[in-house]
Amino acid sequence: MTFIFLDANVVAKPVTRTLLMVGASRSGFVVGWSATAEAEAARHMRSNASRPADVRRRYGGELTPTGHVAGRFGATDAKDCQLLADAEAAGARFIVTEDVDDYGSVDLASVSISAVNPDLFLAARLTREAYSVVIQRFVELQVNPPTTPAQFHAAIARNHPRLFAAHADLYDVEPERGIHGEPEVIFRGTRCLRCERIIADPATIIDGLGPECR
């Protein structure tokens, strides 16, 4: 089963993290993160938020291995070199991250990993069944104030407009508009987001998809 490595900035986002963790088993992939990502995420979370370690244990997950020789990734932002090494050690095919442009194209190609924005990844890989299950999970937890599945679906669009659009017909509701636009770089790498094959010419990959998958 395809392994997906979560960057610290995704581990620190409760809704995005839950979409990935709860939806994974029904969408044909597995998610996880390393001690490096967990420690960094914990430093950037609000004091009253659930700790990443507690969330991981709740779902039965274990930390992925720590990678070696992170300094070899010369085209990647210094703070993310260890994360890329960890992703390689875990056998990941994709890194889901809010900062795709922090990972160098040459470095990603060298380990056959693609970096992808969480909204783009979820829109492409989260199944309808998985999305419905996660929405229902959120609704059951949101009791003050209570919310309906349709309302939560609309709220998803604030940070995940592509995911909302992929399942727009699930509920008859208009999307809530987000404050921030989509990052300029949402995908980088040579591995196609859908078929997972390595694409010889990365320039032919559009929104994570190779020519045969568009």
Side-chain angles (χ1 to χ4, degrees):
M1 190 172 286
T2 301
F3 183 79
I4 311 299
F5 186 89
L6 305 188
D7 196 347
N9 52 42
V10 172
V11 177
K13 295 293 181 65
V15 173
T16 303
R17 183 185 64 213
T18 301
L19 283 163
L20 287 158
M21 294 184 74
V22 177
S25 63
R26 293 176 173 82
S27 302
F29 60 86
V30 177
V31 302
W33 57 81
S34 65
T36 309
E38 185 163 283
E40 183 178 334
R43 287 194 298 270
H44 292 89
M45 295 181 70
R46 296 190 305 272
S47 59
N48 62 341
S50 297
R51 299 292 85 190
D54 295 334
V55 173
R56 174 173 52 79
R57 296 185 187 107
R58 186 184 310 150
Y59 289 99
E62 296 185 0
L63 291 172
T64 63
T66 298
H68 301 290
V69 199
R72 71 187 187 275
F73 298 123
T76 294
D77 190 290
K79 65 178 174 52
D80 294 309
C81 289
Q82 186 59 56
L83 291 170
L84 182 54
D86 292 352
E88 179 192 22
R93 292 196 165 194
F94 301 97
I95 294 177
V96 177
T97 175
E98 292 189 335
D99 296 319
V100 172
D101 57 351
D102 282 353
Y103 292 89
S105 298
V106 173
D107 295 337
L108 290 165
S110 73
V111 292
S112 300
I113 293 174
S114 288
V116 55
N117 174 271
D119 186 31
L120 178 62
F121 181 85
L122 287 164
R125 298 295 297 260
L126 201 68
T127 66
R128 175 63 62 92
E129 178 197 3
Y131 184 67
S132 298
V133 167
V134 180
I135 290 293
Q136 190 58 44
R137 177 75 61 86
F138 278 122
V139 170
E140 291 170 356
L141 295 174
Q142 183 74 30
V143 294
N144 189 24
T147 185
T148 66
Q151 289 171 331
F152 204 92
H153 175 54
I156 284 288
R158 289 201 300 262
N159 293 307
H160 299 294
R162 287 177 179 263
L163 177 60
F164 175 91
H167 304 290
D169 61 333
L170 192 57
Y171 302 101
D172 185 16
V173 63
E174 291 296 313
E176 293 185 15
R177 300 300 175 184
I179 300 174
H180 305 291
E182 185 172 77
E184 183 177 346
V185 181
I186 59 173
F187 183 91
R188 183 173 282 172
T190 58
R191 188 180 295 281
C192 175
L193 183 55
R194 184 159 293 155
C195 70
E196 302 187 9
R197 292 197 298 266
I198 299 298
I199 306 301
D201 182 6
T204 64
I205 299 177
I206 299 175
D207 286 350
L209 303 180
E212 296 181 2
C213 289
R214 292 199 295 275

